[in-house]
Amino acid sequence: MRIVMMGTGPFAVPTFQALIESDHDVVCLFTQPVRTVHRRKSSVPTPMRDVATAHGLPIYDPESINTDESRVLLQQLQPELLVVCDYGQILSRETLATSKFGGINLHGSILPKYRGAAPVNWAILSGDQETGITVIHMTPKLDGGPCLKIVRTPIGPTETAVDLEPRLAQLGVAAVVESIELLLTHDPETLVGEPQDPALVSKAPRLKKSDADINWSDPAELIYNKFRAYQPWPGCYTHWVREGKPPMRLLLSKVSLVREPAAAEFPPGTICVAEGDQLSFAAEGGQIVVEMIQPAGKKPMAVAEFVRGNHPSPGDRLMSEGDLPQSS
C-alpha cells in the first residue's frame, strides 16, 4: 500500500520505522514545523525527522494540513492511506478524502477513554491499572472513528509516563500493521471497525505548566499519581515556607508513596521526616517520600545533600504558589 506518514513526536517513531521496513511503500513524512524555542530556532530535529532523513524520505511541514495547498500536495503524492500518530493536527474530511482508504490513527489509550493530546498522562493521573493503544479509522471528529484494533496492557504501580509511553508505542506497531491488512481485505460494502460508545467518552486535554503546582489538600495517592503522570513535563513542585526567609521552590525529581498517614502532629502539607537521607511530606492518607529533589536555581540532588545544606525541620509548612503569603 502507498502510505503517507504523519507524525511529530517520539510515540510515532516505532510505527514509522516498521512501516518503512515493511513491504508497504512509505512515500514521505508530514510533520509539524520546527518551533522557536527561547527566542531561537531549535537546531535539534524531531525524532521523526531523523528517521525520515536516515531513509532519504521527503519531509513536508505545513503549518496546516487542511489548506488547499496541502491538499493539492497530498493529491499529487497519490497516497492510498494516511497513517497518523502523534502528529499534532486534526485532519479535516476533505484532507482525509485525498487518500483512497482515508486515514488511520494510533492513539495511546483504550478509546473512547482519554480522547485528546495527553492520554498516557491522564491514564496514570486517574489511577488506572490498565491502559493500551487503539488504532482507529479516522473521521474529522477528534479520536472519534471506529476502532480497528485495541491492545491492552497493565500499568505498573510505580510506572511513570516516561516508562509507559515507549511501551505503548511498541505495542502499536503490530496493531497498525494488522489494521492496514484489515483495510486491504475488508468488504467495501460493509462498515469496518467497531464504533465507539459515546457514553464512555472521556477527555485527555493537553497538560499545562500550572498543573505542576502541588495542592496539599489532594489525597496522597493523587499527588503521587500526578508525579508519575507529569514526567518529564510539567513535573511537580511545591514551596517550602521557611522561618525568616523567603519560600523556597522545590521540584520533586523522584518520590515514592507510603500509604500510611503521618503522625497526628503533622497535618497534610507539612514536612514529617527530615533527617539524614530521609525526607517525607505529610498528605491526606499517606506520605510522599522524597528521593531526589531540586531547589530553585540548583541541580537535582540527593536528599542527604539537601537536608545537610538546608536544614528542613519536621512541622515546616509546604504551600502551593497560590497559597503563599503576599510580601508587603
Side-chain angles (χ1 to χ4, degrees):
M1 186 178 287
R2 187 172 171 84
I3 291 172
V4 165
M5 183 76 198
M6 296 183 174
T8 303
F11 191 74
V13 168
T15 293
F16 189 27
Q17 188 73 49
L19 290 176
I20 291 171
E21 295 170 359
S22 73
D23 293 334
H24 298 292
D25 180 17
V26 181
V27 296
C28 67
L29 169 69
F30 276 73
T31 191
Q32 291 279 65
V34 176
R35 303 298 183 186
T36 300
V37 179
H38 301 305
R39 298 183 182 178
R40 61 181 177 83
K41 207 76 167 178
S42 172
S43 60
V44 181
T46 67
M48 291 293 281
R49 288 177 184 266
D50 287 343
V51 175
T53 300
H55 291 275
L57 292 176
I59 299 171
Y60 303 103
D61 55 3
E63 284 288 346
S64 172
I65 193 62
N66 296 314
T67 62
D68 290 341
E69 183 180 6
S70 295
R71 282 193 288 271
V72 167
L73 174 57
L74 282 169
Q75 289 164 351
Q76 291 171 345
L77 292 165
Q78 299 181 320
E80 294 178 273
L81 181 67
L82 311 177
V83 176
V84 183
C85 178
D86 202 2
Y87 179 35
Q89 296 194 42
I90 300 172
L91 276 62
S92 68
R93 189 180 306 277
E94 294 78 13
T95 300
L96 289 169
T98 61
S99 167
K100 176 181 176 181
F101 290 96
I104 62 173
N105 174 246
L106 172 61
H107 186 75
S109 76
I110 302 172
L111 290 171
K113 204 170 187 181
Y114 305 129
R115 292 182 182 178
V120 178
N121 311 85
W122 279 88
I124 294 175
L125 180 62
S126 302
D128 291 1
Q129 296 182 2
E130 181 185 63
T131 188
I133 58 91
T134 304
V135 180
I136 62 170
H137 200 205
M138 294 175 69
T139 66
K141 189 172 184 179
L142 177 63
D143 301 328
C147 301
L148 302 176
K149 185 75 177 178
I150 293 176
V151 182
R152 300 173 184 268
T153 186
I155 301 175
T158 63
E159 199 165 21
T160 68
V162 171
D163 304 321
L164 180 57
E165 184 166 310
R167 283 209 304 114
L168 295 179
Q170 291 294 338
L171 280 180
V173 172
V176 167
V177 172
E178 293 171 19
S179 297
I180 293 173
E181 293 305 313
L182 178 62
L183 290 177
L184 282 169
T185 57
H186 97 284
D187 178 359
E189 300 300 319
T190 63
L191 293 176
V192 61
E194 293 293 326
Q196 298 183 40
D197 184 347
L200 300 179
V201 170
S202 61
K203 300 296 179 66
R206 194 176 302 278
L207 301 179
K208 308 183 299 296
K209 186 176 180 180
S210 59
D211 292 333
D213 195 2
I214 297 173
N215 182 351
W216 290 102
S217 64
D218 287 338
E221 188 90 33
L222 177 56
I223 293 171
Y224 181 57
N225 287 344
K226 286 183 175 182
F227 169 80
R228 294 165 57 215
Y230 295 164
Q231 302 301 314
W233 190 89
C236 278
Y237 68 84
T238 190
H239 287 84
W240 169 31
V241 180
R242 303 175 294 172
E243 186 69 32
K245 296 180 180 179
M248 178 184 286
R249 187 177 184 272
L250 302 174
L251 179 67
L252 306 187
S253 303
K254 186 177 181 182
V255 305
S256 57
L257 173 65
V258 172
R259 293 176 176 84
E260 180 181 330
E265 64 265 31
F266 302 118
T270 59
I271 296 176
C272 55
V273 178
E275 183 178 3
D277 61 354
Q278 298 181 355
L279 180 65
S280 297
F281 301 157
E284 186 67 40
Q287 302 169 54
I288 303 300
V289 179
V290 182
E291 299 174 17
M292 291 288 293
I293 194 165
Q294 183 176 1
K298 302 287 183 65
K299 294 181 178 180
M301 62 181 66
V303 162
E305 181 183 356
F306 173 77
V307 171
R308 185 172 57 250
N310 294 276
H311 311 293
S313 299
D316 288 354
R317 290 289 303 169
L318 304 163
M319 288 188 179
S320 64
E321 199 148 18
D323 292 334
L324 289 174
Q326 299 296 312
S327 58
S328 55

